[in-house]
Amino acid sequence: MPSRRPVALAVLTTAALVAVGCSDPPSSGNDGSQTATGDGDGNGEATLPECPLDALDDASGPVEVTLWYGGIGGSTEQTMEDMVAGFNASQDHVELTASNQGGSFAEVFRKFESAASADTGQLPDLVMLENIQLQTIADRGLMLPTQACMEAADYDITDIEPAVRSAFSVNDVLYPGYMNVSSQVLYYNKSHWVKAGLDAEAPPQTLDELREQARALKEARVSEKPLAFKVSHAVFENWLSGEGIDVVDNDNGQSGLATEAMFDLPESDELLTFLQDMNDEGLLNVFANTEGSIDHFLALVQQQSSMLIETSTAGITFADALSGQITAAEAGVDFDESLVDREGLVPGTGEFPGVASAGQVHPGGAGFFIVNASEPAQQAASWRFLEYMLRPENAKAWHLNGGYLPIVKSVADEPDVQAFWADDLGGVLLKPAVDQLGDADPDEPGPLIGPYPDFTTELQGAIEAVLLNDADIASSLATAEANVTASLERYAGE
């Protein structure tokens, strides 16, 4: 258990660790590798390649395994290090070395791409990658689907939350062996709600309520621009998917390879018009999506803004900062902490405000993948570590200490987890995201897109053009959709 943090107070420093970027798909993979195909329910009835578990038994001496990760810091990185140390101490068949490869998921993927392209034998055996790379991973045969190892080891895959399985599967085949899951939530300063005469325990549930409360905050002169809004494909995408709207064809890429973008819709126009109107009213504090940027968080902690929408994983960093457990430097950022307003900041979270209702999100985050190019003994050893991570006590540690959502079903029933949600600041901030995950629809796992970075760049570019450069909404969406469709067609033809 983490040390107790009081559920109130003073300073909210930063969560740069949640800033992630995107990159192009890797140019090469493991030629000739097998790919998995599914036939329907995601419960282990797929046609899978072999997972060579026997190779570990046949190895002489401990098998050395390397893991690449990145995009985490503070308590989350310490949890990663503790997990590796605990695994190595728990057995003598595998020796795992974990290496932090950068400050964002995108940086890790760029390094993995470079190593895969160079074919120098420098690839890791395990790698933690963002879920937006899932389609590319499957198409290029870069990873051994861990579901094959789960079946070989008689691991009951249904112990994993169904929405998580769905969100990290391709053709009903689960690719990663463990998933560090997060979702979008609303962060807000409760003290501002009190000053504006609003109910501090009733943050906005819908976009209409968000605008109404932003107006109240501005009229009360509590904050200059109430909503700090970092342009995000994930936020826009969840607004659409929450209304059952796909952004690409073939059931959002779930029933076949996506070949056409579909987000130039009246609903998208309405969303951008909503944001543009908010901006024109001075209710929006707009920030471009620059890799590593934390300006939207600084707007909140310096009380220029009252709320923002971001990934749930930031909650544990907030709690660490409030309790004095980490400094800005330890959180992986560089800014003048004396600029932070340390008075009157009482952080809270609410479910993701949707178009019509709150909490309509699909799981995001990253997964731990077994690299297909590794030797059989290393693949078997990699599964042993993932199997260790899936133990309820270790899955619980990822939630209590690492800030990720519990993906193993039994974790939510543990008394110390229930106490964490009630009494610990980190747990209180995470609880709305936990609730969202429990309610998430496995049949709406979000889009599968091969050239996901192109989709991200174009959609965010269109939003930024409208909000930062007053571009025409209709033409911005049309151009972005055409460019993404061209990228999807190129990807399908490769």
Side-chain angles (χ1 to χ4, degrees):
M1 274 292 290
S3 59
R4 288 284 165 206
R5 310 177 188 94
V7 186
L9 295 173
V11 53
L12 180 60
T13 57
T14 181
L17 311 173
V18 303
V20 297
C22 301
S23 60
D24 295 329
S27 56
S28 64
N30 186 37
D31 293 339
S33 60
Q34 292 177 286
T35 56
T37 58
D39 59 28
D41 63 6
N43 291 331
E45 299 299 325
T47 301
L48 297 167
E50 179 185 1
C51 178
L53 295 187
D54 292 344
L56 184 60
D57 298 329
D58 297 337
S60 58
V63 175
E64 296 182 355
V65 176
T66 57
L67 162 65
W68 284 4
Y69 70 92
I72 59 176
S75 291
T76 309
E77 184 173 16
Q78 186 61 54
T79 303
M80 178 82 260
E81 294 175 356
D82 292 345
M83 196 73 62
V84 172
F87 170 70
N88 285 335
S90 71
Q91 46 75 50
D92 55 11
H93 301 292
V94 181
E95 183 65 29
L96 177 66
T97 301
S99 175
N100 189 334
Q101 294 293 312
S104 70
F105 293 136
E107 187 174 354
V108 178
F109 191 64
R110 285 194 291 268
K111 291 182 178 180
F112 185 85
E113 172 191 9
S114 177
S117 301
D119 196 24
T120 59
Q122 299 302 309
L123 285 170
D125 304 297
L126 275 165
V127 60
M128 185 176 79
L129 295 175
E130 194 175 7
N131 67 327
I132 67 169
Q133 307 297 350
L134 191 57
Q135 183 74 67
T136 294
I137 284 168
D139 291 342
R140 302 290 174 85
L142 292 168
M143 308 297 172
L144 173 70
T146 310
Q147 186 172 330
C149 299
M150 291 177 173
E151 292 197 5
D154 292 325
Y155 177 79
D156 186 356
I157 196 172
T158 64
D159 286 345
I160 299 171
E161 290 286 349
V164 174
R165 299 199 312 268
S166 179
F168 285 84
S169 292
V170 180
N171 295 329
D172 295 311
V173 174
L174 182 64
Y175 271 75
Y178 194 88
M179 291 68 75
N180 284 347
V181 170
S182 60
S183 66
Q184 301 292 317
V185 294
L186 180 82
Y187 292 91
Y188 69 107
N189 184 353
K190 290 185 176 183
S191 68
H192 282 196
W193 262 243
V194 173
K195 291 177 183 177
L198 298 170
D199 184 348
E201 302 305 321
Q205 300 286 294
T206 66
L207 295 188
D208 285 342
E209 290 181 7
L210 187 149
R211 176 162 47 194
E212 290 171 6
Q213 295 189 24
R215 284 172 174 164
L217 290 159
K218 187 173 180 66
E219 289 170 4
R221 298 184 179 181
V222 174
S223 55
E224 181 181 354
K225 295 182 177 182
L227 177 62
F229 184 75
K230 181 179 180 180
V231 173
S232 165
H233 74 93
V235 171
F236 203 84
E237 180 189 297
N238 275 281
W239 277 335
L240 292 174
S241 65
E243 297 303 300
I245 298 169
D246 296 342
V247 295
V248 292
D249 64 347
N250 291 326
D251 300 314
N252 242 3
Q254 297 291 340
S255 63
L257 189 65
T259 59
E260 182 182 1
M262 298 172 55
F263 55 80
D264 182 11
L265 301 166
E267 292 86 354
S268 298
D269 191 297
E270 290 174 8
L271 283 170
L272 271 180
T273 299
F274 168 82
L275 292 172
Q276 188 179 57
D277 290 346
M278 289 268 291
N279 199 30
D280 290 344
E281 285 190 54
L283 305 176
L284 213 61
N285 201 356
V286 183
F287 299 93
N289 196 316
T290 304
E291 186 174 332
S293 171
I294 61 162
D295 289 344
H296 58 314
F297 283 106
L298 293 180
L300 184 67
V301 302
Q302 294 171 9
Q303 303 197 50
Q304 298 164 1
S305 297
S306 300
M307 53 184 161
L308 59 84
I309 299 172
E310 250 293 0
T311 176
S312 57
T313 313
I316 204 72
T317 307
F318 289 177
D320 286 347
L322 280 163
S323 65
Q325 293 186 39
I326 61 173
T327 64
E330 289 168 336
V333 295
D334 181 18
F335 73 96
D336 184 356
E337 291 187 71
S338 67
L339 298 176
V340 176
D341 184 345
R342 296 177 180 270
E343 299 297 328
L345 183 56
V346 182
T349 50
E351 292 188 347
F352 178 71
V355 175
S357 60
Q360 301 298 308
V361 297
H362 50 76
F368 290 82
F369 297 88
I370 300 175
V371 178
N372 223 348
S374 293
E375 295 296 324
Q378 272 70 29
Q379 290 182 339
S382 296
W383 160 247
R384 292 304 178 198
F385 176 62
L386 298 176
E387 187 178 42
Y388 177 83
M389 293 173 73
L390 285 165
R391 293 179 186 174
E393 65 270 23
N394 295 324
K396 182 169 67 175
W398 274 117
H399 181 53
L400 297 179
N401 304 333
Y404 288 104
L405 305 182
I407 69 164
V408 176
K409 292 178 181 178
S410 62
V411 168
D413 297 326
E414 292 290 327
D416 52 348
V417 173
Q418 298 281 338
F420 175 64
W421 295 337
D423 303 329
D424 185 283
L425 178 58
V428 171
L429 294 176
L430 282 169
K431 187 57 165 60
V434 174
D435 294 339
Q436 289 179 162
L437 181 62
D439 293 337
D441 185 354
D443 293 329
E444 294 290 342
L448 272 176
I449 301 173
Y452 216 126
D454 295 343
F455 165 78
T456 297
T457 298
E458 293 295 335
L459 180 56
Q460 290 179 173
I463 299 170
E464 289 176 3
V466 170
L467 298 182
L468 295 174
N469 300 318
D470 201 27
D472 179 71
I473 291 175
S475 61
S476 297
L477 285 172
T479 299
E481 181 177 271
N483 290 341
V484 173
T485 294
S487 179
L488 290 168
E489 290 173 346
R490 286 194 300 271
Y491 184 91
E494 290 178 1

